[in-house]
Amino acid sequence: MNKKLAAALSGGAVLMLVLSGCSEDEGDKVTDWAKSFCDQAKPQIQKRADAHQIIISTAADSRPAEIQAADSKAFKDIADADRALAKAVESAGVPPVENGEKVQKDVIAELNSTAVAYDGLKKQVDALDPTNQQKFAEGLKDVADGLTKIEKMDQNALSNLESGELGKAMAQQPGCQKPTPSVPKTPSGSASPKAGATATPAATATTSATTSAAPKATASASAES
């Protein structure tokens, strides 16, 4: 039932981790800006990775109430992380790129907008009734549909920083490297895509949610009885 959520989040997991660039030579301003931002961003990137793992770890054979609690926490953590990343962009100052002031303003606005969207998903999942299996499954599918749209916002949020000299400088900073989730995986593992996977979230999500949501809910109901 939760596979679609995990799939959509998987794309967001690489939001700041797949960075590209051109030249090996970096100016002091570019390197300094990248270090300033990435040092502040590191705990937020970790928080996002942990949130993704929470979703994935509860994706298989979990009861509706467990899924609800896990998704709610994950959405809150990602929203908080995006707001903190927006503050990190602001704190680092105007990035040394063309139209730097506009780039900074746009990135901050996009991250804050994404955070608000995740807050909305948290409220939506909190409002689901885990005791009504069929309605819970249907409601979770709606949440997952919304998540695929928000994931696209997440991917676009830092796109103007993730190219050229600045993108390469960020990629070289430890703070912007791909983290290892600190949330333990379930012993049996999960069939859901792992955080950082490169599969297209929308395509994976669309094929899985409609076929798995109701059966998963029924299985969860049986487990509770």
Side-chain angles (χ1 to χ4, degrees), residues 108-119:
I108 291 172
E110 195 73 30
L111 285 168
N112 283 324
S113 294
T114 305
V116 170
Y118 276 112
D119 285 336

Side-chain angles (χ1 to χ4, degrees), residues 101-130:
E101 290 185 5
K102 183 179 186 303
V103 169
Q104 182 189 40
K105 181 179 179 180
D106 289 348
V107 169
I108 291 172
E110 195 73 30
L111 285 168
N112 283 324
S113 294
T114 305
V116 170
Y118 276 112
D119 285 336
L121 280 186
K122 181 185 184 302
K123 292 179 181 178
Q124 192 175 345
V125 79
D126 285 345
L128 299 179
D129 181 4

Side-chain angles (χ1 to χ4, degrees), residues 17-22 161-169 171:
L17 310 177
V18 182
L19 306 174
S20 60
C22 301
L161 299 178
E162 298 174 349
S163 61
E165 299 291 323
L166 186 57
K168 187 173 181 63

Side-chain angles (χ1 to χ4, degrees), residues 18-26 30-31 34 38 161-173 176-177:
V18 182
L19 306 174
S20 60
C22 301
S23 172
E24 290 289 337
D25 299 324
E26 301 292 344
V30 171
T31 302
C38 293
L161 299 178
E162 298 174 349
S163 61
E165 299 291 323
L166 186 57
K168 187 173 181 63
M170 290 168 63
Q172 293 174 343
Q173 293 297 320
C176 283
Q177 299 301 310

Side-chain angles (χ1 to χ4, degrees), residues 65-158:
E66 294 171 340
I67 293 173
Q68 183 180 46
D71 291 349
S72 179
K73 173 175 170 49
F75 293 151
K76 180 182 185 302
D77 287 350
I78 296 172
D80 291 345
D82 276 352
R83 288 192 181 90
L85 287 171
K87 291 182 179 179
V89 174
E90 181 178 15
S91 177
V94 177
V97 297
E98 186 176 356
N99 299 318
E101 290 185 5
K102 183 179 186 303
V103 169
Q104 182 189 40
K105 181 179 179 180
D106 289 348
V107 169
I108 291 172
E110 195 73 30
L111 285 168
N112 283 324
S113 294
T114 305
V116 170
Y118 276 112
D119 285 336
L121 280 186
K122 181 185 184 302
K123 292 179 181 178
Q124 192 175 345
V125 79
D126 285 345
L128 299 179
D129 181 4
T131 65
N132 187 321
Q133 307 300 324
Q134 185 62 37
K135 287 188 176 180
F136 182 83
E138 294 171 354
L140 193 63
K141 180 181 180 299
D142 291 339
V143 171
D145 288 341
L147 182 57
T148 59
K149 298 177 182 178
I150 297 174
E151 186 267 341
K152 292 178 182 178
M153 294 171 59
D154 250 349
Q155 288 183 330
N156 293 333
L158 296 174

